[in-house]
Amino acid sequence: MSCLSVISRNFSTSSVARAAIKNVTVVGGGLMGSGIAQVSAQSGHNVTIVELNQEVLDKTHKSIQQSLQRVAKKVYKEKPQEGENFVSETLSRISTSTNLTDVVQSSDLVLEAIVENLAIKHKLFKSIDDIAPAKTIFASNTSSLSIGEIASVCKRKDKFAGLHFFNPVPVMKLLEVVKTPETSDETYEKLMAWAKAIGKTAITCKDTPGFVVNRLLVPLMAEAIRMLERGDASPKDIDIAMKLGAGHPMGPIELADYVGHDTTNSILNGWHDKFPENPLFNPLSSLQKLVDEKKLGVKTGEGFYSYKK
């Protein structure tokens, strides 16, 4: 199924799902936060994006507008006026704010997409736990931290879950819904319905390191890097092997460069600190060396491969 048909389906979604979660607050206006806000607004939800300053919010709003215009150009190629209406109607459902405490008082769902730092996430949720209505669900888009640990500072542990989206959010169809032992069935059902309403295919996972996708991908990238360290094969041959032999769209070394070595290194180190007995999580000296040299992959122009023109 094409991403365009998925996007098209988002325009008419279940009113029941929208009734349960109608007002969505997205904390963080970066790549992930803006994408989450876009798909929520596209599917008829009211969205407020919260950031620390207005300058970031203005950039986020412009980024969403440009993304919507690209969608409209493809979906409404033969009907440009309908495309313009789609863009304006979607944007009308998106507001921005620098005042989180005001916004959460009318939120059905507060979803954070901020820096991968447990202390900062704790500070965020602790600041709004007593302010948000009892019905409000809290969720984190973390890709590597424990949902239970993030939720530990809140009283509403039954209304806390993980919602792990994938980049780019408007295109990638998967959403991992992460349950902790304390997440209530009611909260889980509401989030699964909301996932369907915004056009995602939701899977369920326990609160385990990396959930499903990253729990498989990070060790794969790490083992590919260990092959390089041992001199078993070249980066190019490892990537070709997994693309042609396993049908992967991208080889593990290419993927590591794409993800960013600072991100992968941070995840591995965090998992190793928490689970030192698991050899799959052992730190990688060559990865740390790349990070120290600021060779983080595609975003810096060099990693295991060079992207400099």
Side-chain angles (χ1 to χ4, degrees), residues 137-266:
I137 297 171
F138 288 174
S140 173
N141 182 56
T142 182
S143 60
S144 62
L145 299 176
S146 163
I147 300 299
E149 287 187 18
I150 298 172
S152 66
V153 298
C154 296
K155 299 170 186 173
R156 64 183 77 212
K157 295 179 180 63
D158 61 319
K159 292 184 174 66
F160 207 114
L163 289 174
H164 184 216
F165 289 81
F166 293 82
N167 183 37
V169 177
V171 175
M172 298 294 280
K173 190 161 173 53
L174 181 66
L175 174 58
E176 293 178 323
V177 179
V178 185
K179 291 182 67 177
T180 73
E182 290 81 20
T183 304
S184 71
D185 290 341
E186 181 184 5
T187 296
Y188 168 72
E189 293 298 337
K190 285 181 179 179
L191 291 176
M192 291 296 283
W194 181 72
K196 184 178 180 180
I198 62 172
K200 299 302 179 187
T201 296
I203 64 164
T204 307
C205 182
K206 291 182 179 179
D207 189 16
T208 186
F211 316 132
V212 174
V213 174
N214 284 343
R215 180 63 178 81
L216 294 171
L217 277 184
V218 172
L220 171 65
M221 291 188 291
E223 189 58 26
I225 294 169
R226 290 186 186 102
M227 291 189 76
L228 291 181
E229 291 180 342
R230 294 193 300 267
D232 294 344
S234 70
K236 184 178 179 181
D237 285 344
I238 291 171
D239 285 336
I240 290 173
M242 293 308 291
K243 285 188 284 189
L244 301 187
H248 290 195
M250 184 181 290
I253 304 301
E254 290 176 291
L255 180 62
D257 269 1
Y258 178 78
V259 169
H261 301 310
D262 50 343
T263 300
T264 304
N265 194 52
S266 176

Side-chain angles (χ1 to χ4, degrees), residues 28-64:
L31 201 59
M32 297 303 293
S34 62
I36 295 167
Q38 177 182 326
V39 297
S40 300
Q42 275 181 201
S43 55
H45 298 82
N46 300 318
V47 184
T48 304
I49 307 170
V50 178
E51 259 292 355
L52 294 175
N53 63 72
Q54 192 59 45
E55 184 181 355
V56 174
L57 288 170
D58 291 342
K59 289 179 181 178
T60 299
H61 194 273
K62 184 177 181 181
S63 172
I64 293 173

